[in-house]
Amino acid sequence: MTQIIDPIFEPSVLQEPTLLGEDFNFDALACPLLQLQGKVDKNPQTAAIILAGGTGERFGKEGGKQLVEIAGKPILTWSAEAFDAVGDVGLIVIVCPEDRMREYLSRAIDPFPFVTPVVLAPSGSIRQESAFAGLEMVGDEYEYVVLHDGARPLVSPELIEHTINTVKGNFDADGAVVAHPAVDTLKVVEDGVIVGTPDRSVFWNAQTPQVFRTGIYRRAHASALSDGFVGTDDSSLIERLGGRVLVVEGKRDNIKLTVPEDYVLLASAVRTMLLNSEHR
């Protein structure tokens, strides 16, 4: 029996990323130019919290998306390696489901040559709880903390370092968020009816990494917990306290793996990186 697929509400690619075909079945580990060199400065000031606690329901793959592989490496590994290559990052905290910690370590961390110390923290029922659990693992010696989605594997060490330095270089800033300007026309809709068209020039699409001064970030979490406030991202916790958060323009290809279509984009980008490296 032929399955009828609604072209509007169904993903435009195969539900199972493992069935995408041989074009994406290449091994990035065989290409040294795609390997990042881990390093840690003598006195690192920043700790990284990588949030990998999502269930991946929209991705449609049992077990979530963090361990789905692109070019022989799990998505989570691609993300963590970028932070391993930033000298100012002295600790990487991976927040994941407590009952899968051993699996995450054995598949995404232990097989790879990380230089930066990696520890795990149990994820909560919502993102904010997971971020707080990761923050609890960060010692007072770290003046800055950087938050990142484990499902954004194309983040570069250069972007991470630039965002950290943006906060360091602006003494009146409490943090910085990577984002890119909105390019689509935006509509305000109420009950299915358009009631306004705002000026899109003031709207940006927030991404990660997001970097904050650790002290204000701890206070923001404490205040949110006390007031029962749940923010849409980490920056919103600081914004509600009147904190000053800067924006760092990122690239649109710093996408998050959310639905199956995203896998095709990510795999294609990695393959392009591989082909470009071969022609240098």
Side-chain angles (χ1 to χ4, degrees):
M1 181 177 178
T2 303
Q3 181 182 6
I4 299 176
I5 297 178
D6 187 327
I8 303 298
F9 296 104
E10 288 293 325
S12 59
V13 297
L14 299 174
Q15 291 283 356
E16 288 293 332
T18 54
L19 302 178
L20 282 172
E22 295 182 358
D23 284 346
F24 299 116
N25 186 24
F26 58 95
D27 188 1
L29 296 177
C31 182
L33 292 178
L34 286 185
Q35 297 304 295
L36 298 174
Q37 183 65 47
K39 58 182 178 181
V40 179
D41 293 343
K42 185 177 180 179
N43 294 301
Q45 296 181 293
T46 305
I49 299 174
I50 300 180
L51 299 168
T55 60
E57 292 181 1
R58 285 176 291 177
F59 186 63
K61 183 171 179 63
E62 186 178 355
K65 58 196 175 185
Q66 304 290 345
L67 298 180
V68 170
E69 294 188 357
I70 291 181
K73 289 193 295 189
I75 291 290
L76 177 58
T77 307
W78 284 93
S79 300
E81 284 183 337
F83 289 87
D84 186 45
V86 177
D88 192 54
V89 173
L91 176 70
I92 297 174
V93 182
I94 294 177
V95 186
C96 65
E98 189 169 14
D99 60 350
R100 299 188 67 193
M101 285 184 173
R102 186 183 300 274
E103 180 185 10
Y104 273 52
L105 276 177
S106 64
R107 293 181 57 185
I109 303 301
D110 292 344
F112 304 93
F114 283 92
V115 174
T116 310
V118 178
V119 298
L120 272 62
S123 56
S125 59
I126 60 174
R127 176 193 175 91
Q128 192 165 308
E129 291 178 357
S130 295
F132 182 73
L135 183 60
E136 290 283 89
M137 303 293 290
V138 176
D140 293 336
E141 68 269 28
Y142 295 106
E143 187 176 348
Y144 306 92
V145 61
V146 52
L147 281 293
H148 186 64
D149 298 317
R152 288 190 192 270
L154 297 187
V155 64
S156 68
E158 292 78 16
L159 178 60
I160 297 168
E161 191 168 19
H162 176 62
T163 309
I164 294 172
N165 288 337
T166 296
V167 180
K168 288 185 176 183
N170 290 271
F171 298 108
D172 59 344
D174 297 302
V177 169
V178 172
H180 65 82
V183 295
D184 296 320
T185 297
L186 303 176
K187 297 292 184 180
V188 179
V189 178
E190 295 180 0
D191 298 324
V193 178
I194 296 174
V195 297
T197 305
D199 179 7
R200 71 183 179 198
S201 66
V202 300
F203 289 92
W204 289 59
N205 296 304
Q207 302 176 336
T208 61
Q210 299 187 0
V211 179
F212 309 104
R213 298 185 187 278
T214 305
I216 182 65
Y217 188 55
R218 291 191 195 279
R219 294 196 296 274
H221 265 286
S223 176
L225 182 63
S226 175
D227 298 341
F229 173 80
V230 177
T232 55
D233 70 348
D234 301 285
S235 177
S236 63
L237 303 186
I238 292 178
E239 293 165 27
R240 72 183 289 265
L241 297 184
R244 185 168 185 262
V245 181
L246 306 179
V247 66
V248 171
E249 185 168 355
K251 295 182 178 180
R252 296 187 68 196
D253 63 6
N254 182 26
I255 64 174
K256 183 179 180 181
L257 180 64
T258 303
V259 295
E261 297 95 308
D262 298 333
Y263 181 89
V264 178
L265 296 175
L266 290 169
S268 297
V270 173
R271 183 172 179 81
T272 299
M273 290 164 54
L274 176 62
L275 293 175
N276 288 341
S277 66
E278 290 177 344
H279 288 90
R280 289 177 184 172

